[in-house]
Amino acid sequence: MTETVLIAARRSPIAPRNGALSHLQPHQLAAPVIKAALADCGLSPNQVDELILSNALGAGGNPARIAALAAGLPERVAGLSIDRQCAGGLDAVILADALVKSGQHQIVIAGGVESYSRRPVRARTFRDGRDPVPYDQAPFTPWPQRDPEMAVAADKLALSLGIDQEAQDAWAINSHSKAQNAATDLGIVSMEGLSSDPFTRNLTPRHCDRAKRVSGTVTAANMAVAADAAAVAIVTSRQVANSLNLDGIQIIGGQTIGGDPEMPGLAPVAAIQALLQRASLTPHDIQTAEIMEAFAVQAIACWRGADLPEKIVNRDGGALARGHPIGASGAILAVHLFHQLCRAPGNGLAAIAAAGGLGTALLLRG
């Protein structure tokens, strides 16, 4: 089977909604990131076969096609938009890997983009003439009683595992601290005057105590803020990478598994376990891991459930310190993992949970 690699990975700054990136449409977020990734590996836009972008909150259409045209990719690049909510950015990379391994394409750009600030207003319509009713969270199951709001589900997870608010706040504080001390090379493309993530701050226990309570033990301090961002990685074969004189980061494999819709935060555990088993690896064979921090309790539950050493998880901080641009978040994990492995080779893991009880994991080797 064809060996596949990531040869470049870039992202925009992550800005909270209604912040510095709020006036940009998704394609305006994605295009500079795509161009920077191509420049990193000396590729011409004409060499790209496909662009796959995850987008969860947009107005439909085909955001990937618009981004492809905005980035100067040739018109033959149709663009493929996918929606698996938070997991979509990682799933885009996994799909790109499959397309290259199959021989259908040689070079695929994959990732995600989200403008929380510019998302359309959604409303349910009725045949009987009633006025449309706005809604924020889309349905993720056919059973309303098994389709909790995400913060409610996170608090339920915390109660079931005995992870109290103090532990969640401590994780959030540590995430901000690590992000403040992170290496400068996180693959960020400067945009709108930003060259770093503006939300990262000196979070303290006092700030956590004063944070707005969202649901039980879940507060505004230990859940990620909604945000705007884009992130992409370039997937190709080892043969093409060699022709470009690039080493690349090997893609070992990816896995998406569905689980209990009422406990979405636990879903990545099964995906991680299945992926490691397929690769004949144990958790202690992993040198660095990027675990999504939509909620502190979710990250804690995932690394504990997967038996990962805590010291390897989110070495440069996570989404609690930066923000959660839904469709781009999985791709941001892949970008961070790529740059971690460029600095310190080894086995790297990225994992993320998504609404509806979905978990996705990606395994790389540098």
Side-chain angles (χ1 to χ4, degrees):
M1 182 179 291
T2 301
E3 182 180 321
T4 50
V5 294
L6 300 182
I7 55 173
R10 287 292 203 124
R11 70 170 176 89
S12 71
I14 304 165
R17 64 175 157 182
N18 300 325
L21 304 181
S22 61
H23 64 289
L24 299 178
Q25 295 285 358
H27 68 276
Q28 295 171 312
L29 287 167
V33 178
I34 294 167
K35 291 177 180 179
L38 288 170
D40 284 348
C41 50
L43 283 175
S44 160
N46 289 326
Q47 294 173 273
V48 177
D49 296 311
E50 184 61 283
L51 171 68
I52 306 171
L53 289 180
S54 163
N55 181 259
L57 302 177
N62 187 0
R65 172 62 171 174
I66 303 172
L69 295 173
L73 300 184
E75 291 183 357
R76 61 174 172 74
V77 175
L80 174 62
S81 301
I82 66 172
D83 177 6
R84 234 180 201 162
Q85 295 295 301
C86 308
L90 270 189
D91 283 314
V93 176
I94 293 171
L95 178 55
D97 174 55
L99 288 171
V100 174
K101 277 190 166 74
S102 71
Q104 184 169 342
H105 291 315
Q106 286 195 317
I107 297 172
V108 179
I109 303 176
V113 60
E114 202 75 76
S115 175
Y116 219 110
S117 300
R118 303 298 297 271
R119 72 195 192 281
V121 175
R122 297 184 285 188
R124 293 184 177 86
T125 56
F126 305 93
R127 293 181 62 186
D128 60 9
R130 283 180 289 166
D131 290 337
V133 176
Y135 68 93
D136 189 41
Q137 180 174 302
F140 298 116
T141 80
W143 316 290
Q145 71 277 14
R146 296 191 63 198
D147 196 7
E149 293 183 2
M150 292 299 98
V152 173
D155 183 52
K156 181 179 177 181
L157 177 62
L159 293 173
S160 70
L161 297 180
I163 301 172
D164 61 20
Q165 184 179 334
E166 183 179 1
Q168 296 174 58
D169 289 347
W171 184 277
I173 290 169
N174 196 32
S175 181
H176 279 268
S177 177
K178 288 189 290 187
Q180 284 184 311
N181 296 312
T184 54
D185 185 11
L186 292 173
I188 297 176
V189 178
S190 295
M191 197 175 294
E192 300 302 310
L194 292 180
S195 57
S196 62
D197 304 312
F199 187 68
T200 303
R201 63 197 189 280
N202 181 27
L203 187 67
T204 67
R206 183 179 180 185
H207 292 137
C208 292
D209 290 341
R210 297 169 60 184
K212 177 183 177 182
R213 194 165 300 281
V214 180
S215 180
T217 61
V218 175
T219 73
N222 60 42
M223 65 179 287
V225 65
D228 307 329
V232 301
I234 300 181
V235 180
T236 190
S237 66
R238 175 68 73 185
Q239 182 179 7
V240 170
N242 288 342
S243 73
L244 296 168
N245 294 316
L246 297 171
D247 292 331
I249 300 296
Q250 184 183 0
I251 301 174
I252 304 301
Q255 181 73 58
T256 299
I257 292 181
D260 183 353
E262 296 182 70
M263 288 285 192
L266 278 181
V269 174
I272 293 169
Q273 292 171 337
L275 183 56
L276 290 179
Q277 183 178 12
R278 201 166 78 231
S280 299
L281 296 173
T282 73
H284 294 273
D285 292 320
I286 304 300
Q287 280 70 53
T288 187
E290 291 288 325
I291 306 296
M292 183 58 192
E293 295 176 345
F295 300 91
V297 64
Q298 171 188 305
I300 296 169
C302 285
W303 76 258
R304 287 181 181 175
D307 196 28
L308 294 166
E310 183 179 2
K311 66 181 180 180
I312 73 168
V313 176
N314 298 359
R315 295 179 187 273
D316 291 327
L320 287 167
R322 297 185 173 96
H324 185 11
I326 312 293
S329 289
I332 290 166
L333 297 181
V335 171
H336 285 189
L337 191 58
F338 174 88
H339 288 278
Q340 293 259 14
L341 295 174
C342 286
R343 296 200 303 260
N347 294 319
L349 176 76
I352 190 168
L358 307 179
T360 296
L362 176 71
L363 188 59
L364 304 178
R365 178 173 295 151

